[in-house]
Amino acid sequence: MGQFLSFPIVEVGLLTFTRHIVYSVIIAVRITFYLKTNASFKMHFARKFSKSTGCFYNDCLLGSPMNKSIPLLELKNISKQFPGVLANDKVNLKVSPGEVHGLLGENGAGKTTLMKMLYGLYQPTGGEIFYKGQRVFLNTPKVALKLGIGMVHQHFKLVPTLTVAENIILGMKDSPNPFISLKKAKQAIAALGEKYGLKVEPSARVWTLSTGEKQRVEILKALYRNAELLILDEPTAVLTPLAAKALFETLDQLVKAGLTIIFITHKLKEIISVTDNVTVLRRGKVIDSRQTKNTTPQELAQLMVGREVVFQVGKEAKEPGEPILQMTDVEATNDKDLLALRGASLTIRSGEIVGLAGVSGNGQRELAEVLTGLRHANKGEILLQGEKVTNASVKELLKRKVAHIPEDRMSQALALPLTIAENIVLHSYRLPEFNQGPILDYPAINEHTAQLVKDFDVRTPGIDVPARQLSGGNLQKVILARELYPEPQLIVANQPTRGVDVGSCEYIRTKLIEARDRGAAVLLISEDLDEVLDVSDRIMVIYEGRLTQAPKNADHQTLGLMMAGEEVKHGQSA
Amino acid sequence: MANQPEQATKRSLFSSLPRIQMEKRTSVPKTFQALVPFASVLVAFILGAIPLFFYGVNPIEAYSKLIQGAFGSYDGLIRVAIKMTPLLFTSLAVAIPLRAGLWNIGAEGQLHIGAVGATWVALMVLNSGSEMSSWVVVPLMILAGAFFAGLFAFIPAILRAKLNTNEIITTLMLNYVAFDIMRFLVAGPWRTSTGNFQTENFPPSAFFPEFFGTQIDKVHLGLPIALIIVAVIYFIYVKTRIGYEAKVVGANPQAAAVGGISQVKVIVWTLTLGGAIGGLAGVGEVAAIQHKLIDGISPTLNPFGYTGIAVALLAKGHPLGLIPATITFSALFVGGSSIQALPFHSIYTGDTIQVPVAIVLVLEVLVIVSIIAGDYLSRYRMSWRRHG
Ligand SMILES: Nc1ncnc2c1ncn2[C@@H]1O[C@H](COP(=O)(O)OP(=O)(O)OP(=O)(O)O)[C@@H](O)[C@H]1O
Ligand SMILES: [Mg+2]
């Protein structure tokens, strides 16, 4: 070999060749890792021959019939330890075939973590999982799916530029044939949709779909993979009331067809109306598991939080003061360049909470963004305490103490890789108390953060952990803490209690009312009519980019009609 | 529905393998993060042993001579320090915008523009025939180099900030523009009377001061400047308001917008500052090493600008990490070129053979691969799983 290599051309050639191979390996490795995070090679490692039963472990279960007498799923002493956080502590849970099992618990109680272990995304640090009476090892989602466990995450995992059918078959390898038949898939998807009331057009591109439709795609994805146990993590948090109703009808049909469902929600009403059994988690432990018909929302809330919860936050009547915000005839476009606000007008006074009801997608997001400087208003005028601030910059508006709780906390409100402290000063880092010349005063920032974390009862292992590690509801508290400092004049709160547990909901609403009592003007944008009715001093309805004043003692029905764009008597334009 | 059961026979191949468990971490421990680059370099050397071995060279012998070549003598150390200088500048050019999530692939072009800027000043001094002190000329050269390179990087910066053009593509393409500008100048207006593709020699007042070293190689002003800049950038990123702003933009641009941080400002200053510092690499090369502008101030096989990207990756974009990372790479080059001159005995035939240049390139690439792989793997918690 040495002889052969002594020709210089060959040497250089060979080594350059090696170099190119290495480059190709980099590229191949990156592509594999990025596109297929759960690469199929892990699958191979994941299987092991089980001598005792004479078949591949896990695989004996494939397609085996459900036995009604044994639980479909049983968790025994399942624990999950994250660095510094015990997210699940010896959890025991039984789910019988054909039931809808509710899972309830405060933010950070460990619901999502538990479900991710069932779906093979996390590995338990202790305990055993039994599926159809057999011990199973759920190493990857593929293994879970093979067994018939499907999950719909709260944050959808779809590729927006692909069609519904393409998304559904993505990553499936069920025949040796390398060519996929989209046509067959589309037929199968349409048939599934028909059967369970999950109507979506299989050839529509996912980015054109509404949130409700996207969720249907996620459910179809699980059904297409023959899921028998379907896990839904806060499915209704992102749905309009109407879409939620449609989802419940689908769940009904799924159960009739023999599926078993685990359903996570923060809305106690939904637990009562949808589930057969309910398990309550608190700080990673199972507090209780009971039949839904033998319990009440009050009792559940108390189990969950460990104290009495008031559903109606008390507030005193207050005479509103001077107008803080005066917005007239504002027009603005949305991200697709279509007109989203069409002459919207709104006045909010000091010490007043205006609730804005409406079906999402009628211009709420655009309104919040125009008011906070994130979106350009093409027409109209915005006055803040009588001074013109139309199209002022975010920085300018922050200086004038306009607070903004954005709708989408994961992508808009927080920088998840940064620490709690770095996130908490995102709006206030320019203030003199956190600066010494051009230098940020980190000790002061840390002290401030520690104080707020304590005041707002944020459950976190520390102030210098990445925000990514906190549960959804705790992230919302971080945002709230940030926005209420320094005391704002105008608060634009877009869906502030979405995905937040009852205890924290109460807390957030109380905080908003406190701010109003101090004289702030609050715009509360919410799809939750109970919240709007409970918290607001005055209610407006948004429909197709226009705002209408709701009658003084409007109820659910009146508001529902107005949200659907119907004229209601006594409704006067504001 | 679509599933069909797979045949069990297909799986028996894998049935006896142990199972590797991978789970994503939300945060990688700091100590672990610091160890990964060292481990990566080690793995690269182990993998690099394979081609060496096939080639007939004893890898252990080669590596020990490589390390000796770089660190074993005063000469070697000086050469490492000299190679390090431009690499520090170009890796800073990559690492500064990287903090804001921007990839500057254009350090190579910025280096050339910086060299052109410095040459312009030097040639003006030469042509005017005046006897200016180097206290005036050298700072002017540094300023001109940084200014033109910064201006050159401002183009992709403003395009990215205003039109959202991908900076990876624009900075990369502008490299070719920079090469052509430099080639045009050395082949045309600035060409020497002797006819080569190079400029006249600079006047001595346009030479960088040199400090210590050997007869041929001397450590020059570039190194202290680079080290000071590293310290300043570290300070900016860790302590100041603008450093915080860049970090937020890098972590989530949307959140930065909600916080009222101007993305345009951050993109423009990070890329432009990076470009200006990249230009200093070129200033150093013409003012201290070549003493003229020639076609080929940056080595063709391991161009400083592109190697800077690898260096910044090895340092994970951390300003202080750039120092060990540049030492690693320049030692690799210095040691690599020193072993080429040495005779080895083939382990197959016993003949005297030589190690080719390409082996250093292979090592360099292997370092990059293992950095990337190490970075990926360190985000997962791995364990062997037994089960009953
Ligand atoms: N990957 C992780 N690394 C470290 N800690 C984590 C991780 N994921 C979750 N945690 C922590 O584990 C606990 C449980 O989080 P989990 O997301 O399961 O809560 P949850 O019950 O789903 O809450 P929510 O209702 O807000 O969604 C929290 O304290 C959270 O901070
Ligand atoms: Mg959750």
Side-chain angles (χ1 to χ4, degrees), chain B residues 311-332:
Chain B
V311 175
L313 271 178
L314 181 60
K316 303 200 156 174
H318 194 288
L320 294 186
L322 292 178
I323 295 173
T326 40
I327 292 177
T328 308
F329 271 88
S330 45
L332 201 59

Side-chain angles (χ1 to χ4, degrees), chain A residues 168-234:
Chain A
I168 288 176
I169 61 168
L170 194 68
M172 274 185 80
K173 256 194 316 200
D174 46 16
S175 80
N177 181 358
F179 300 102
I180 41 178
S181 164
L182 261 180
K183 210 173 117 196
K184 260 196 202 154
K186 276 182 189 166
Q187 281 168 358
I189 293 163
L192 269 180
E194 194 66 38
K195 190 166 162 199
Y196 297 113
L198 291 162
K199 289 245 169 60
V200 270
E201 171 56 48
S203 43
R205 305 243 162 229
V206 163
W207 64 267
T208 61
L209 303 182
S210 70
T211 317
E213 286 171 319
K214 281 183 200 155
Q215 189 171 62
R216 277 177 235 159
V217 177
E218 287 278 13
I219 296 176
L220 280 170
K221 214 165 131 184
L223 296 179
Y224 192 78
R225 286 161 174 74
N226 291 333
E228 297 174 331
L229 172 65
L230 189 60
I231 301 169
L232 301 168
D233 194 355
E234 297 191 36

Side-chain angles (χ1 to χ4, degrees), chain A residues 305-565:
Chain A
V305 186
R307 62 172 167 89
E308 195 91 39
V309 176
V310 255
F311 287 95
Q312 293 237 330
V313 278
K315 65 165 203 248
E316 281 158 28
K318 194 164 184 280
E319 198 51 44
E322 292 293 297
I324 300 253
L325 173 77
Q326 288 164 289
M327 181 181 91
T328 33
D329 278 333
V330 165
E331 273 191 24
T333 54
N334 62 15
D335 289 338
K336 290 178 191 149
D337 249 345
L338 303 171
L339 211 54
L341 289 180
R342 308 157 190 255
S345 302
L346 172 68
T347 301
I348 310 179
R349 295 162 181 281
S350 157
E352 184 183 43
I353 299 182
V354 172
L356 186 66
V359 177
S360 76
N362 272 292
Q364 289 97 323
R365 185 188 185 128
E366 289 76 12
L367 175 65
E369 289 181 351
V370 162
L371 288 179
T372 51
L374 288 166
R375 190 173 288 274
H376 189 84
N378 303 334
K379 238 163 96 181
E381 191 180 49
I382 302 171
L383 300 181
L384 202 61
Q385 286 191 309
E387 283 176 57
K388 198 171 156 188
V389 293
T390 326
N391 292 325
S393 70
V394 177
K395 210 165 143 184
E396 167 72 24
L397 290 169
L398 284 173
K399 224 182 261 166
R400 290 170 181 268
K401 300 194 179 161
V402 176
H404 180 199
I405 301 174
E407 169 184 40
D408 190 343
R409 56 177 162 258
M410 295 293 185
S411 72
Q412 260 200 308
L414 294 164
L416 294 177
L418 302 190
T419 66
I420 309 294
E422 284 166 331
N423 272 293
I424 240 166
V425 292
L426 184 61
H427 287 189
S428 52
Y429 73 92
R430 297 181 193 86
L431 296 178
E433 59 258 46
F434 301 134
N435 284 281
Q436 288 166 336
I439 296 165
L440 278 178
D441 186 353
Y442 276 103
I445 289 175
N446 289 339
E447 203 175 301
H448 172 69
T449 308
Q451 187 61 46
L452 287 183
V453 161
K454 213 171 119 218
D455 289 352
F456 284 76
D457 187 27
V458 180
R459 308 261 164 90
T460 167
I463 58 170
D464 49 6
V465 299
R468 196 195 303 288
Q469 282 190 18
L470 298 201
S471 79
N474 281 305
L475 289 178
Q476 192 70 345
K477 286 188 186 169
V478 169
I479 298 169
L480 195 74
R482 169 175 91 201
E483 297 304 326
L484 294 181
Y485 182 89
E487 283 178 10
Q489 269 203 330
L490 170 67
I491 302 172
V492 179
N494 197 355
Q495 316 289 354
T497 59
R498 178 183 276 176
V500 170
D501 68 54
V502 277
S504 311
C505 261
E506 174 195 344
Y507 184 77
I508 290 173
R509 290 173 190 163
T510 315
K511 282 282 173 190
L512 289 178
I513 292 171
E514 270 175 34
R516 154 223 190 228
D517 291 342
R518 277 196 306 264
V522 181
L523 177 63
L524 171 66
I525 304 174
S526 178
E527 269 180 313
D528 182 346
L529 284 185
D530 290 325
E531 176 168 87
V532 170
L533 284 165
D534 186 21
V535 179
S536 328
D537 299 308
R538 190 155 61 86
I539 298 176
M540 308 273 291
V541 175
I542 186 164
Y543 179 73
E544 293 195 338
R546 284 191 199 86
L547 300 177
T548 326
Q549 173 91 46
K552 245 219 145 61
N553 35 24
D555 54 6
H556 273 81
Q557 204 179 357
T558 331
L559 289 178
L561 285 175
M562 290 180 73
M563 281 160 66

Side-chain angles (χ1 to χ4, degrees), chain B residues 23 32 44 94 129 139 145 155 158 220 239 247 252 292 295 306 311 320 327 348 351-352 371 373 380:
Chain B
E23 188 183 305
F32 198 68
V94 179
I155 302 167
I158 199 75
H220 59 83
K239 295 274 182 208
K247 195 172 174 186
N252 183 358
K292 60 184 171 258
D295 185 355
Y306 293 120
V311 175
L320 294 186
I327 292 177
Y348 301 112
D351 295 349
T352 308
I371 294 161
Y380 287 81

Side-chain angles (χ1 to χ4, degrees), chain B residues 7-356:
Chain B
Q7 295 109 17
T9 47
K10 265 168 58 183
R11 294 185 191 135
S12 54
L13 256 181
F14 301 99
S15 60
S16 57
L17 287 177
R19 298 190 285 135
I20 294 175
Q21 200 74 66
M22 285 175 86
E23 188 183 305
K24 202 159 178 132
R25 302 168 190 262
T26 35
S27 69
V28 186
K30 281 239 163 69
T31 46
F32 198 68
Q33 245 177 27
L35 282 177
V36 168
F38 292 102
S40 301
V41 173
L42 199 69
V43 168
F45 273 63
I46 292 169
L47 291 177
I50 298 168
L52 278 173
F53 189 74
F54 274 114
Y55 188 70
V57 175
N58 179 353
I60 298 179
E61 189 189 349
Y63 287 146
S64 63
K65 282 185 179 163
L66 187 144
I67 292 169
Q68 252 173 31
F71 300 119
S73 66
Y74 183 66
D75 289 26
L77 283 173
I78 293 296
R79 273 202 292 273
V80 170
I82 290 173
K83 272 270 186 215
M84 218 182 124
T85 310
L87 281 181
L88 265 180
F89 286 123
T90 54
S91 59
L92 276 166
V94 179
I96 294 170
L98 196 57
R99 183 77 159 197
L102 300 166
W103 285 93
N104 177 15
I105 310 295
E108 186 68 12
Q110 290 140 15
L111 175 147
H112 280 93
I113 295 296
V116 165
T119 306
W120 179 62
V121 173
L123 291 183
M124 275 207 302
V125 173
L126 184 72
N127 294 338
S128 71
S130 65
E131 299 262 311
M132 266 197 270
S133 138
S134 63
W135 287 103
V136 181
V137 180
V138 167
L140 273 181
M141 287 168 77
I142 292 175
L143 283 181
F147 175 79
F148 285 113
L151 202 65
F152 196 66
F154 179 75
I155 302 167
I158 199 75
L159 285 174
R160 169 67 204 247
K162 293 287 182 193
L163 302 174
N164 204 22
T165 32
N166 188 330
E167 80 286 354
I168 300 181
I169 295 170
T170 46
T171 51
L172 177 67
M173 304 285 257
L174 279 170
N175 283 343
Y176 298 98
V177 176
F179 302 153
D180 283 344
I181 291 176
M182 183 270 303
R183 276 193 206 117
F184 165 73
L185 290 171
V186 294
W190 289 355
R191 193 162 170 181
T192 66
S193 41
T194 58
N196 292 328
F197 279 2
Q198 59 186 44
T199 64
E200 299 287 350
N201 272 344
F202 291 176
S205 62
F207 291 5
F208 265 13
E210 289 170 339
F211 303 119
F212 50 86
T214 60
Q215 216 70 53
I216 339 160
D217 303 308
K218 284 204 167 61
V219 171
H220 59 83
L221 181 65
L223 191 61
I225 293 184
L227 292 173
I228 290 169
I229 294 178
V230 166
V232 170
I233 295 298
Y234 174 74
F235 180 79
I236 290 180
Y237 275 158
V238 179
K239 295 274 182 208
T240 66
R241 208 157 47 235
I242 51 172
Y244 170 79
E245 288 173 354
K247 195 172 174 186
V248 176
V249 169
N252 183 358
Q254 280 195 58
V258 171
I261 295 170
S262 160
Q263 261 198 78
V264 171
K265 188 177 120 191
V266 169
I267 291 173
V268 167
W269 84 252
T270 53
L271 263 177
T272 310
L273 181 67
I277 292 173
L280 294 183
V283 178
E285 290 311 287
V286 291
I289 311 289
Q290 309 287 355
H291 295 156
K292 60 184 171 258
L293 180 63
I294 59 167
D295 185 355
I297 44 171
S298 180
T300 20
L301 282 178
N302 304 296
F304 293 132
Y306 293 120
T307 310
I309 301 168
V311 175
L313 271 178
L314 181 60
K316 303 200 156 174
H318 194 288
L320 294 186
L322 292 178
I323 295 173
T326 40
I327 292 177
T328 308
F329 271 88
S330 45
L332 201 59
F333 297 150
V334 170
S337 65
S338 78
I339 59 170
Q340 280 155 41
L342 297 177
F344 284 90
H345 292 290
S346 166
I347 51 177
Y348 301 112
T349 61
D351 295 349
T352 308
I353 52 172
Q354 283 187 336
V355 180

